[in-house]
């Protein structure tokens, strides 16, 4: 499943993060065993990614979200228009995830003990959901792709 | 996106959060901070924070919560903070794991493990016999359901669906437009999905959920069933409130419950009667009410329903194969005498007499001239238009 969002329109309204996250989560979860629980968790994950893209993107272009699955694993690929500074920002955030114990990094971020620009949502996905997060910079100079591989496995959420 | 409500309830020292809390900036949560400040000035001992119906929250909101928790613990070290979440709302159980590390005064509780005291006793032991029970009750209920308003094409919810067999039978017999079956026991749901797959039935949606805080929208089902479940919970009125909420105005809620002390059999009637009176006491010890059946009418009326219809059936050894009836009683003995009575700390003498009543009931069921019965009360009521 893929959705192309005009960056200008998408970032005109904060509510779009919630709306698009819910729409995609409900659709993708409709044939999962625990529909509501899976949708609730996936919406949480997608919303955090959209909020990051909403806050940090280059004017113009498209934000593209692609969802695929392999067995119990969901794969989210979020392509974000960037300039050189933003590319550096995303690179720094993904590097930060691998700079120590991710649960501790998340706790520190929640307590305000890290750089205020820290993408707390990425830390949460890595710490609470065990997501594998990487940055694909191979597209072109104007885009980066955040790749999140996550097993929501609704039946073990509790 | 923030369509949440937050309110402080004095009577149980609780701040209750509901809805969706996804603000862009923490400044949008000034009302939350205000409620916290008001609450800590009014509580002593423990401040309860109820998140079980906050369906979604982002990290902006969560950071503000963490900041508020930290503030409470620092400014009011004498105060304990109890964070209440539900396993059904997936994000919360994961996110709140970290907050107990902020202070030893913060405790995170998954409330639905507390709310269903009987579930752990029953869910692991009963799966094998529930199918036989449903097979025997269905002989009666397939004729009874239309009298209580179930029609083909209805939108139906089966709350506390257990192993899902009743939902499957409704699907086959009544062809509802939509059938959602919800239970809080994951092993039962896995079993239900497996059986549905084996039978090639894809129309039933089996969902993990909490009957006392359903994530379903209000006013959407024509017919809501909840069978043999109110008797298992120590606060049935909370579930009835949810059944009422999800039912369409003019739709009906259908409940079945037992009064086990009225189980009967001959020969050995006295021994059988004694044991089932003790079953009722045993259930009460575990905060469950196996005597709920005849109370259905009152509970439905108190929950706001009208047009209450009520009847009772007697499932007996003459309904089909008597061996099925005997199998059910044997399963009851295994759980009630073999597990619950032992857990209560009953003496071996009591346990032996307790078991004898079940064995006499089985003997009555299998005796060529015997009779054994298990009464069930069926009630339905309309949600006023």
């Amino acid at each position: 499943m893929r959705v192309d969002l005009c960056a200008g329109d998408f970032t005109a309204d904060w509510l779009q993060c919630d709306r698009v996250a819910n729409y995609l989560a409900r659709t993708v979860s409709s044939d999962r065993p625990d529909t509501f629980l899976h949708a609730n968790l996936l919406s949480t994950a997608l919303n955090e990614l959209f909020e990051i893209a909403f806050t940090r993107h280059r004017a113009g272009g498209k934000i593209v979200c692609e969802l695929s699955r392999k067995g119990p694993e969901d794969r989210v690929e979020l392509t974000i228009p960037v300039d050189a500074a933003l590319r550096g920002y995303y690179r720094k955030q993904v590097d930060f995830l691998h700079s120590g114990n991710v649960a501790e990094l998340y706790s520190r971020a929640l307590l305000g003990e890290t750089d205020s620009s820290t993408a707390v949502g990425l830390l949460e996905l890595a710490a609470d959901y065990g997501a594998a997060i990487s940055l694909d910079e191979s597209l072109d100079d104007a885009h980066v792709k955040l790749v999140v591989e996550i097993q929501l496995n609704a039946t073990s959420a509790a | 996106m923030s369509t949440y409500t937050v309110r402080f309830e004095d009577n149980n020292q609780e701040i209750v959060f509901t809805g969706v809390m996804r603000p862009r900036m923490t400044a949008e949560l000034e009302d939350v901070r205000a409620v916290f400040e008001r609450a800590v000035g009014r509580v002593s001992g423990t401040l309860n924070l109820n998140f079980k119906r906050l369906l979604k929250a982002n990290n902006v909101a969560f950071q503000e919560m963490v900041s508020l928790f930290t503030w409470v613990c620092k400014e009011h070290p004498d105060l304990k903070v109890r964070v209440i979440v539900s396993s059904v709302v997936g994000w919360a159980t994961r996110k709140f794991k970290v907050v107990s590390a902020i202070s030893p005064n913060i405790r995170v509780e998954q409330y639905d493990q507390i709310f269903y005291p009987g579930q752990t006793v029953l869910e692991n032991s009963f799966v094998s016999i529930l199918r036989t029970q449903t097979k025997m009750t269905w002989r009666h209920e397939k004729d009874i359901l239309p009298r209580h308003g179930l029609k083909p094409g209805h939108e139906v919810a089966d709350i506390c669906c257990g192993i899902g067999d009743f939902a499957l039978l409704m699907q086959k017999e009544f062809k509802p437009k939509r059938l959602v079956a919800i239970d809080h026991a994951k092993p039962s749901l896995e079993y239900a999905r497996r059986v549905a797959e084996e039978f090639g039935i894809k129309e039933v949606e089996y969902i993990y959920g909490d009957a006392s805080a359903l994530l379903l929208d209000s006013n959407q089902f024509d017919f809501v069933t909840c069978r043999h479940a109110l008797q298992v919970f120590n606060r049935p009125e909370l579930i009835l409130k949810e059944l009422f909420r999800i039912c369409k105005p003019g739709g009906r809620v259908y409940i079945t419950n037992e009064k086990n002390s009225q189980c009967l059999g001959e020969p050995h009637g006295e021994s059988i009667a004694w044991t089932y009176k003790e079953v009722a006491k045993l259930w009460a010890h575990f905060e469950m009410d196996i005597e709920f059946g005849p109370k259905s009418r009152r509970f439905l009326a108190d929950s706001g329903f009208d047009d209450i219809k009520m009847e009772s059936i007697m499932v007996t050894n003459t309904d089909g194969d008597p061996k099925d009836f005997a199998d059910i009683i044997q399963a009851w003995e295994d759980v009630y005498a073999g597990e619950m009575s032992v857990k209560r700390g009953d003496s071996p003498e009591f346990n032996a007499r307790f078991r004898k009543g079940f064995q006499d009931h089985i003997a009555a069921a299998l005796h060529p001239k015997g009779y054994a019965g298990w009464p069930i009360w069926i009630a339905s009521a309309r949600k006023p238009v």
Side-chain angles (χ1 to χ4, degrees):
Chain A
M1 186 170 184
R2 169 179 163 140
V3 59
D4 289 33
L5 303 160
C6 170
D9 292 340
F10 175 70
T11 57
D13 185 353
W14 179 253
L15 299 184
Q16 302 282 22
C17 300
D18 179 77
R19 285 187 194 128
V20 181
N22 287 343
Y23 173 76
L24 291 174
R26 277 196 177 200
T27 307
V28 168
S29 304
S30 62
D31 63 346
R32 289 299 174 109
D34 270 299
T35 311
F36 283 9
L37 195 53
H38 192 273
N40 186 269
L41 294 169
L42 185 56
S43 169
T44 299
L46 290 172
N47 181 68
E48 291 299 335
L49 295 173
F50 283 132
E51 287 187 7
I52 293 167
F54 185 101
T55 312
R56 311 265 176 180
H57 70 283
R58 178 178 55 78
K62 282 181 178 174
I63 294 170
V64 178
C65 182
E66 291 169 277
L67 289 159
S68 57
R69 72 166 65 153
K70 190 175 179 184
E73 187 173 273
D74 287 292
R75 182 182 170 94
V76 184
E77 296 172 84
L78 191 67
T79 304
I80 305 161
V82 294
D83 55 23
L86 283 170
R87 179 182 294 273
Y89 170 80
Y90 282 105
R91 192 182 295 149
K92 184 180 164 191
Q93 297 308 314
V94 174
D95 287 347
F96 187 60
L97 295 172
H98 304 112
S99 66
N101 180 302
V102 75
E104 282 173 20
L105 294 175
Y106 179 45
S107 292
R108 283 178 51 209
L110 286 172
L111 292 166
E113 294 171 1
T114 55
D115 185 332
S116 61
S117 67
T118 302
V120 183
L122 289 184
L123 284 168
E124 184 201 8
L125 296 182
D128 280 357
Y129 294 80
I133 300 172
S134 57
L135 190 69
D136 181 353
E137 297 188 59
S138 66
L139 299 176
D140 55 44
D141 289 343
H143 295 87
V144 292
K145 185 189 278 186
L146 266 175
V147 181
V148 177
E149 291 166 317
I150 193 166
Q151 271 199 35
L152 297 168
N153 188 14
T155 55
S156 65
Chain B
M1 176 72 175
S2 291
T3 52
Y4 65 88
T5 63
V6 54
R7 66 179 190 278
F8 175 61
E9 294 181 354
D10 250 326
N11 59 340
N12 42 3
Q13 299 199 145
E14 185 170 77
I15 300 177
V16 181
F17 300 82
T18 60
V20 176
M21 192 181 275
R22 285 178 171 173
R24 186 172 182 183
M25 291 171 289
T26 54
E28 294 169 40
L29 301 174
E30 275 179 13
D31 56 337
V32 176
R33 185 168 280 274
V35 170
F36 262 80
E37 286 171 357
R38 192 165 73 85
V40 294
R42 297 172 68 92
V43 303
S44 57
T46 301
L47 171 64
N48 295 300
L49 304 174
N50 181 342
F51 289 96
K52 67 187 188 194
R53 304 247 359 220
L54 186 64
L55 301 182
K56 288 161 192 158
N58 65 1
N59 273 296
V60 177
F62 192 56
Q63 276 183 294
E64 179 66 359
M65 292 295 164
V66 169
S67 162
L68 286 167
F69 294 167
T70 308
W71 169 75
V72 170
C73 292
K74 189 179 169 193
E75 299 297 319
H76 302 270
D78 52 322
L79 213 54
K80 305 279 185 201
V81 177
R82 178 159 62 213
V83 178
I84 305 160
V85 297
S86 164
S87 67
V88 174
V89 181
W91 71 268
T93 46
R94 295 185 183 222
K95 229 171 196 140
F96 278 107
K97 274 189 299 189
V98 299
V99 303
S100 31
I102 295 172
S103 160
N105 282 359
I106 300 178
R107 197 170 81 229
V108 181
E109 280 182 5
Q110 200 172 295
Y111 103 103
D112 32 356
Q113 283 180 345
I114 302 159
F115 183 72
Y116 299 103
Q119 182 175 308
T120 47
V121 177
L122 295 178
E123 73 178 25
N124 297 326
S125 312
F126 258 149
V127 168
S128 61
I129 202 63
L130 288 175
R131 219 162 145 175
T132 309
Q133 285 195 182
T134 305
K135 186 169 91 177
M136 297 198 79
T137 58
W138 180 252
R139 290 192 182 99
H140 300 266
E141 288 186 86
K142 72 176 168 43
D143 298 325
I144 289 170
L145 282 161
R147 287 208 292 276
H148 288 259
L150 179 58
K151 291 175 186 164
H154 268 174
E155 294 194 41
V156 178
D158 185 24
I159 308 302
C160 305
C161 68
I163 58 167
D165 49 353
F166 182 76
L168 283 185
L169 291 165
M170 277 201 293
Q171 176 66 37
K172 283 184 183 172
E173 187 79 19
F174 293 96
K175 302 280 183 278
K177 181 180 170 191
R178 182 187 179 205
L179 178 45
V180 176
I182 293 181
D183 202 90
H184 193 264
K186 289 175 180 171
S188 299
L189 282 174
E190 281 165 23
Y191 181 92
R193 292 188 185 114
R194 207 164 54 239
V195 172
E197 199 176 330
E198 277 173 23
F199 290 1
I201 292 177
K202 294 176 181 168
E203 292 85 355
V204 183
E205 296 173 54
Y206 288 107
I207 293 170
Y208 177 61
D210 171 9
S212 73
L214 294 165
L215 301 184
L216 299 167
D217 292 337
S218 302
N219 305 317
Q220 60 167 312
F221 294 101
D222 301 291
F223 201 77
V224 179
T225 60
C226 183
R227 299 170 61 262
H228 302 270
L230 297 177
Q231 62 193 26
V232 176
F233 303 115
N234 56 356
R235 297 189 64 190
E237 69 280 4
L238 294 182
I239 295 176
L240 280 164
K241 193 175 166 189
E242 283 295 86
L243 303 183
F244 184 92
R245 184 181 65 76
I246 65 170
C247 187
K248 285 179 186 170
R252 294 189 73 85
V253 166
Y254 171 96
I255 60 175
T256 69
N257 292 282
E258 298 160 56
K259 183 174 171 72
N260 238 219
S261 65
Q262 304 297 303
C263 283
L264 50 83
E266 286 295 342
H268 308 299
E270 279 184 29
S271 161
I272 294 166
W274 181 86
T275 285
Y276 284 101
K277 282 190 175 61
E278 291 300 323
V279 167
K281 292 178 198 169
L282 182 63
W283 273 54
H285 176 80
F286 289 99
E287 296 183 63
M288 302 182 285
D289 185 6
I290 195 67
E291 301 288 274
F292 190 92
K295 301 171 190 171
S296 304
R297 191 162 177 241
R298 170 167 63 83
F299 271 90
L300 285 168
D302 291 348
S303 302
F305 293 97
D306 64 13
D307 190 26
I308 299 170
K309 294 179 182 172
M310 193 149 167
E311 59 188 289
S312 58
I313 57 170
M314 183 70 82
V315 177
T316 78
N317 59 329
T318 62
D319 299 335
D321 186 351
K323 183 70 171 53
D324 284 344
F325 192 97
D327 286 346
I328 291 172
I329 308 308
Q330 185 59 58
W332 289 355
E333 182 190 336
D334 293 345
V335 177
Y336 302 163
E339 294 179 29
M340 292 168 69
S341 169
V342 172
K343 201 169 177 182
R344 187 172 61 171
D346 295 338
S347 69
E349 294 75 23
F350 173 90
N351 198 266
R353 188 180 173 193
F354 192 40
R355 283 183 182 275
K356 177 143 190 333
F358 292 115
Q359 287 304 311
D360 285 341
H361 206 195
I362 290 170
L366 298 177
H367 193 289
K369 297 177 189 172
Y371 183 77
W374 165 38
I376 296 167
W377 276 260
I378 291 164
S380 75
R382 185 181 61 178
K383 180 173 177 177
V385 178

